[in-house]
Amino acid sequence: MTDSAPADGQPTQPAAGAPQPPTVVPAPPQEVPEAPPLKLWDRMREDPQYAPEHLALEAVRRLGPEAAQWVARARAEQPGASAEALAEQAVRKFVNHARLSGAVSGAAGLPGAVIDVGVLAWTQARMVLHIAAAYGVDPTHADRATDLLVLQKVHKVAESARLALGVAAGRERAGALFGSGGQNPLGKVMLRLGVRLAQMAGVRAAKRVFAKVVPGAAIILGTWANSSATKDLAARSRALYRQHGGAAVPEPRRP
């Protein structure tokens, strides 16, 4: 005897005791670089004036999807966790990363200082995007690059940040088409790049550009400056996204 066909095209309900499909848990985040990728370093070295803008654009491209995957997985594994709790997890993780990056760098002199502040700015951008995701703000949206530049005090207002991002994006496209025509001496470029990245990573971190050449002092200053600047940025980011998180999704209107 065969089962009768379901009425009105409705699917047949599974029999009692039949195996149920497993709960789908978001895949773990894909591996992303702990430091700015080499192509980004090249872009920033060729165009140091707009280094923070290039870093912000690349961070949203590369780190935004990672933050979105992280929060989806965290909510699946911790269904009762609040946005505040998830944001706190992100802050603890990346403040620790920032602290370690200031203590273990092996490069010396000005190049080492530039690498350090670049890694710090990248880590901070990663943290900001994770905080945004924790509060329900899309970390992959282009506006997050604007947020990064304002939160990291590269620009005072969003309008000037958007303008600078547009300029940097245009220069990025031009560089890809025609190559870089820069002929500046490497030392001058590195100094300018270091100052711009230090500005992005925090005012205190700028001291590292000059303290890096003092044996021993750079490690102590780097550990303290990195964690302090990153904690300050975390507080500003939480205040911003706590206010705007979820506000962009209005309730449906009643007929």
Side-chain angles (χ1 to χ4, degrees), residues 14-220:
Q20 299 297 317
T23 302
V24 177
V25 177
Q30 297 179 354
E31 289 295 323
V32 297
E34 295 288 341
L38 291 178
K39 287 185 178 180
L40 175 58
W41 279 118
D42 290 342
R43 197 178 305 139
M44 292 191 298
R45 189 178 64 250
E46 293 167 358
D47 192 19
Q49 179 181 355
Y50 287 93
E53 287 78 11
H54 290 304
L55 191 147
L57 289 167
E58 190 68 16
V60 173
R61 292 187 198 114
R62 284 182 175 254
L63 305 180
E66 180 214 25
Q69 291 174 24
W70 165 77
V71 79
R73 188 171 183 83
R75 286 173 178 157
E77 294 175 346
Q78 310 168 55
S82 65
E84 292 291 337
L86 294 176
E88 182 62 29
Q89 291 175 25
V91 171
R92 285 199 306 267
K93 176 180 179 180
F94 292 109
V95 166
N96 189 52
H97 282 195
R99 183 181 297 116
L100 291 174
S101 72
V104 302
S105 176
L110 181 58
V114 174
I115 291 171
D116 283 356
V117 292
V119 170
L120 176 57
W122 185 254
T123 299
Q124 289 178 344
R126 200 174 188 181
M127 178 188 70
V128 170
L129 295 173
H130 277 66
I131 292 173
Y135 286 107
V137 178
D138 183 3
T140 66
H141 195 281
D143 283 350
R144 300 295 80 76
T146 302
D147 294 348
L148 284 171
L149 294 175
V150 175
L151 286 167
Q152 292 178 294
K153 298 185 177 180
V154 177
H155 295 278
K156 292 183 179 180
V157 296
E159 189 60 35
S160 63
R162 290 191 191 99
L163 179 61
L165 285 167
V167 173
R171 290 159 78 100
E172 178 182 318
R173 289 190 293 270
L177 287 172
F178 305 113
S180 172
Q183 301 296 325
N184 292 328
L186 181 59
K188 183 178 179 181
V189 169
M190 291 296 284
L191 180 60
R192 190 174 187 184
L193 175 57
V195 169
R196 291 294 286 155
L197 290 176
Q199 178 189 5
M200 187 178 195
V203 175
R204 294 183 181 90
K207 297 178 182 178
R208 304 195 58 221
V209 176
F210 306 101
K212 186 73 180 179
V213 296
V214 180
I219 292 178
I220 299 171

Side-chain angles (χ1 to χ4, degrees), residues 211-234:
K212 186 73 180 179
V213 296
V214 180
I219 292 178
I220 299 171
L221 177 61
T223 302
W224 174 80
N226 284 10
S227 62
S228 178
T230 306
K231 286 178 182 177
D232 290 347
L233 174 62

